């Protein structure tokens, strides 16, 4: 046992040495003469205590406290035993979410935030205010609109210009943003999708491929456009309806997310993307904090165009700011 005692500097006292003794006896029988090389090998295998695999963090997108810590503790003991089976490699689990799953997570979180927001009490004689910038090619000014919630009056002011007030548009070009119409929208995502598919007119903040969308995506593009049109007037949309819009977007195929997108004014946000193939991609940019609608972009092989909402709110008369 003298040789064994000489190894104990490298082997922890608490480890069972009976197996080591048997192995040394076998090695002596084959003519092995010793040395401290095996002791150093055992010290590396047994004498350094447990080894920990790196901890991996998985982040759920913008979900409060959505970090899951996974740590595996492994102790490896390697002896020069040719009869041992090689350890089977454990499959690695990727922390990356598929893009479509990420879109569902982002949009569900946006829906939850919308549900928690306070409903605004509206009157038909109030006005919804929106200031937008235009990035459609050429030097186009930002502009402000005021729309009375009963649908009877509108007002417009271009950047630096005078306020113009008049009657609201009538007929098929009416923008469809009266208080009554908004409050009648379904608050269930499936019902909302059916409602928008059945619209007899196009509602969209910026057209992607209408009226020549491929037939297989035409209905989805119609839903996509109508949701963006209403989200642009966010302050007048009831919280439950806003939540349904986010969940309806999550149900559309070809919808993905880009976490570090920018709107047409260069403001950072989350991009909800509808991929229309050769027709290009449409982006709704959402605020990273409260997920409110910031703007729309259309990107295809020839151009990038967009419009951004710079301010919005409910006011009591045209010309006032929220």
């Amino acid at each position: 046992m003298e040789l064994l005692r000489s190894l104990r500097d490298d082997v922890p006292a608490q480890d069972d040495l009976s197996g080591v003794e048997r192995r040394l006896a076998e090695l002596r029988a084959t003519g092995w003469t010793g040395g401290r090389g095996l002791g150093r090998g055992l010290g590396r295998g047994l004498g350094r205590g447990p080894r920990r695999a790196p901890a991996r963090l998985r982040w759920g997108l913008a979900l409060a406290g959505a970090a899951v810590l996974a740590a595996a503790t492994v102790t490896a003991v390697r002896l020069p035993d040719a009869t041992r089976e090689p350890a089977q490699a454990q499959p690695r689990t990727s922390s990356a979410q598929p893009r479509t799953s990420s879109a569902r997570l982002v949009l569900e979180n946006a829906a939850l935030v919308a549900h928690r927001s306070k409903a605004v009490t509206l009157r038909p004689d109030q006005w919804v205010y929106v200031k937008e910038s235009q990035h459609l090619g050429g030097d186009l000014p930002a502009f402000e609109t005021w729309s009375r919630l009963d649908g009877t009056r509108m007002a417009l002011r271009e950047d630096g210009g005078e306020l113009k007030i008049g009657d609201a548009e009538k007929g098929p070009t009416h923008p469809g943003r009266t208080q009554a119409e908004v409050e009648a929208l379904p608050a269930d995502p499936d019902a909302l999708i059916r409602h928008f598919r059945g619209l007899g007119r196009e509602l969209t903040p910026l057209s992607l491929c209408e009226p020549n969308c491929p037939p297989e995506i035409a209905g989805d593009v119609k839903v996509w456009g109508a949701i963006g049109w209403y989200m642009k007037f966010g302050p007048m949309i009831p919280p439950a309806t806003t939540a349904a819009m986010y969940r309806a977007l999550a149900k559309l195929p070809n919808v993905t997310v880009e976490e570090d997108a920018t709107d047409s004014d260069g403001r950072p946000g989350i991009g909800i993307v509808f991929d229309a193939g050769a027709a290009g991609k449409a982006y709704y940019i959402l605020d990273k904090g409260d997920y409110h609608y910031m703007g729309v972009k259309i990107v295809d092989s020839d151009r990038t165009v967009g419009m951004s909402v710079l301010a919005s709110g409910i006011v009591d008369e045209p010309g006032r700011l929220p």
Side-chain angles (χ1 to χ4, degrees), residues 231-315:
M231 286 200 301
K232 184 171 73 169
F233 303 97
M236 66 181 296
I237 311 297
T241 307
T242 301
M245 289 179 182
Y246 289 131
R247 290 180 173 131
L249 287 176
K251 288 176 173 284
L252 297 180
N254 306 318
V255 172
T256 57
V257 65
E258 290 187 14
E259 296 177 56
D260 296 309
T262 57
D263 69 4
S264 295
D265 287 270
R267 299 178 299 173
I270 300 171
I272 307 301
V273 188
F274 184 93
D275 189 343
K281 293 181 179 181
Y283 289 71
Y284 290 150
I285 310 299
L286 306 183
D287 181 84
K288 288 188 175 185
D290 64 6
Y291 300 98
H292 74 265
Y293 174 94
M294 295 171 59
V296 60
K297 287 196 309 187
I298 305 294
V299 179
D300 60 29
S301 58
D302 300 322
R303 59 180 187 148
T304 297
V305 297
M307 297 184 73
S308 301
V309 173
L310 304 179
S312 62
I314 303 296
V315 296

Side-chain angles (χ1 to χ4, degrees), residues 68-298:
V68 179
L69 179 62
T73 302
V74 180
T75 301
V77 177
R78 296 191 179 183
L79 294 175
D81 189 342
T83 64
R84 289 188 62 170
E85 293 289 337
Q88 296 297 316
Q90 296 298 315
R92 298 182 63 185
T93 303
S94 171
S95 62
Q97 295 280 354
R99 289 174 65 84
T100 51
S101 294
S102 295
R104 286 193 294 270
L105 282 170
V106 169
L107 289 165
E108 178 58 26
N109 203 39
L112 293 173
V113 171
H115 264 304
R116 291 196 297 268
S117 63
K118 185 178 179 181
V120 178
T121 301
L122 304 176
R123 302 191 316 268
D125 64 332
Q126 289 182 302
W127 302 66
V128 58
Y129 165 81
V130 179
K131 181 177 182 179
E132 294 180 78
S133 63
Q134 307 178 80
H135 303 272
L136 307 176
D139 186 17
L140 297 174
F143 64 97
E144 300 164 285
T145 58
W146 289 260
S147 302
R148 188 166 150 135
L149 298 184
D150 62 6
T152 60
R153 303 281 281 170
M154 292 187 67
L156 172 69
R157 180 168 63 196
E158 290 188 351
D159 230 7
E162 66 172 302
L163 180 67
K164 299 176 182 178
I165 306 173
D167 292 336
E169 300 174 29
K170 303 295 183 182
T173 60
H174 186 277
R177 53 177 180 261
T178 66
Q179 180 185 3
E181 182 171 354
V182 166
E183 290 179 349
L185 291 173
D188 173 78
D190 293 313
L192 197 62
I193 288 173
R194 290 192 297 271
H195 173 78
F196 287 147
R197 285 186 190 278
L199 287 176
R201 58 185 172 171
E202 177 190 347
L203 292 178
T204 181
L206 204 60
S207 292
L208 174 59
C209 53
E210 297 92 341
N212 300 312
C213 295
E216 63 273 15
I217 66 169
D220 295 332
V221 171
K222 195 173 184 180
V223 174
W224 169 273
I227 290 175
W229 172 256
Y230 282 108
M231 286 200 301
K232 184 171 73 169
F233 303 97
M236 66 181 296
I237 311 297
T241 307
T242 301
M245 289 179 182
Y246 289 131
R247 290 180 173 131
L249 287 176
K251 288 176 173 284
L252 297 180
N254 306 318
V255 172
T256 57
V257 65
E258 290 187 14
E259 296 177 56
D260 296 309
T262 57
D263 69 4
S264 295
D265 287 270
R267 299 178 299 173
I270 300 171
I272 307 301
V273 188
F274 184 93
D275 189 343
K281 293 181 179 181
Y283 289 71
Y284 290 150
I285 310 299
L286 306 183
D287 181 84
K288 288 188 175 185
D290 64 6
Y291 300 98
H292 74 265
Y293 174 94
M294 295 171 59
V296 60
K297 287 196 309 187
I298 305 294

